[in-house]
Amino acid sequence: MTTVLVTGGAGFVGAHICKALAARGDRPVVFDNLSAGHEHAVRWGPLVRGDIRSAPDLDRAFAEHRPDAVIHFAANIEVGEGQRLPLRFWDNNVAGVVSLLAAMERAGVAPLVFSSTCAVYGEPDSVPITESESLKPVSVYGRTKLAVEQLLADVASVGGVRYAALRYFNAAGASPDGEIGEEHDPETHLIPNALKAAAGIGGRMKLFGTDYDTRDGTCIRDYVHVMDLADAHLAALDLLLSGTRALTANLGTGHGASVLEVLRAVESVTGLAPPYDVHPRRDGDAPILSADLTHARAVLGFEPKRSDIETIITDAWRFHKRAWGV
Ligand code: UFG
């Protein structure tokens, strides 16, 4: 049995990875300050309440639970917030990882799976995006995630950490049994917002931009089911535990859905048309983002199983119906 310290394990993607770890007999220990995560999403192992920027908090968790590896999710993720509060993002997302790596070194733990993002590419020169695309993030959020990738490469070059940087495209969906799902506050992501509007909660959805150079004028994104992400994390963890020193991989599906296609899929799954108003473009939204999966397939054996848009929305809806009592 492998014990894994999961920072940010009370959040959306983190909680699903904890569930997947437990399902195969591993032991997730959640380390979370609950600033964005939810205590009710910690169900498959102990919760250590702590902050990644606190050496004493981390040392306590390593001493008490003796993890074999770390999966790191704890971070600020809302792109607009990062533009307003850059210092907060650099402190939590970057200084937090310096603190985490130092604690791992003190504890003699080397394997680290890092939750990175397609935001490191910014507006890519071509899609689908390969890992060798130039890295030109256009947001504070993307720059902090890229800085951590560079930090990991530097520390790994002297043998201090073995890492996997997983660049997610649009994480979505929910556990198919409806047990856990996406619960951001405020919610900025398209699928939960479209489901909210369909359910008649919180008014009409805002659709940001219908004048992009895409097949229907709205942005195209590569939505990937959180359970498929979980499989990739387990595969990355196993590689690091068996000695792989560094890997970086995109996680998406290789194709995308436009905002209008997502809204149509929400209507077909729920039977309810989400009401929406067209608003101007949102700052920093690239027209099309989708992942080239060649590398993830080769190194992680990654093959999305639940990431067609209908399955993603069906699973998300099952969770939200229960959570919202609709
Ligand atoms: N959108 C709307 N209305 C909404 C929410 C979103 O029209 O209420 C549109 C956006 O403008 C965008 C698309 O739906 O065109 C997807 O938006 P999301 O906010 O769901 O996702 P993003 O692609 O903006 O964000 C994702 C990750 C971020 C990451 C970013 C990098 O969630 O963590 O990709 O591009 F930083």
Side-chain angles (χ1 to χ4, degrees), residues 76-79 116-120 122 138-139 141-142 145 168-171 182 184 187-194 205-209 212 218-223 257-259 262-263 277 279-287 289:
N76 290 98
I77 62 155
E78 210 265 282
V79 177
S116 191
T117 168
C118 67
V120 296
V138 293
S139 62
Y141 170 70
K145 290 286 183 175
Y168 318 153
F169 281 62
N170 287 59
E182 194 167 2
H184 298 120
E187 187 52 80
T188 60
H189 294 104
L190 176 62
I191 292 174
N193 279 350
M205 201 196 84
K206 296 179 175 172
L207 192 170
F208 299 118
Y212 287 95
T218 65
C219 289
I220 294 176
R221 290 290 179 274
D222 187 342
Y223 297 91
S258 74
V259 176
V262 167
L263 293 176
D277 298 313
H279 285 249
R281 293 180 178 199
R282 195 174 65 174
D283 237 17
D285 277 343
L289 295 173

Side-chain angles (χ1 to χ4, degrees), residues 77-152:
I77 62 155
E78 210 265 282
V79 177
E81 187 191 8
Q83 299 306 111
R84 293 190 303 277
L85 300 168
L87 195 53
R88 176 183 292 183
F89 273 53
W90 279 89
D91 183 33
N92 197 25
N93 295 6
V94 182
V97 180
V98 174
S99 162
L100 176 63
L101 289 173
M104 289 174 66
E105 190 173 279
R106 288 193 294 277
V109 177
L112 173 71
V113 181
F114 170 60
S115 164
S116 191
T117 168
C118 67
V120 296
Y121 299 113
E123 299 209 7
D125 298 325
S126 59
V127 285
I129 304 171
T130 66
E131 288 79 358
S132 55
E133 175 69 40
S134 52
L135 302 171
K136 297 174 299 193
V138 293
S139 62
V140 171
Y141 170 70
R143 283 190 286 278
T144 62
K145 290 286 183 175
L146 177 56
V148 172
E149 289 195 10
Q150 293 165 335
L151 164 65
L152 292 173

Side-chain angles (χ1 to χ4, degrees), residues 16 21 53 55 118-119 200 306:
H16 286 81
L21 284 165
R53 291 159 297 188
C118 67
R306 301 192 68 83

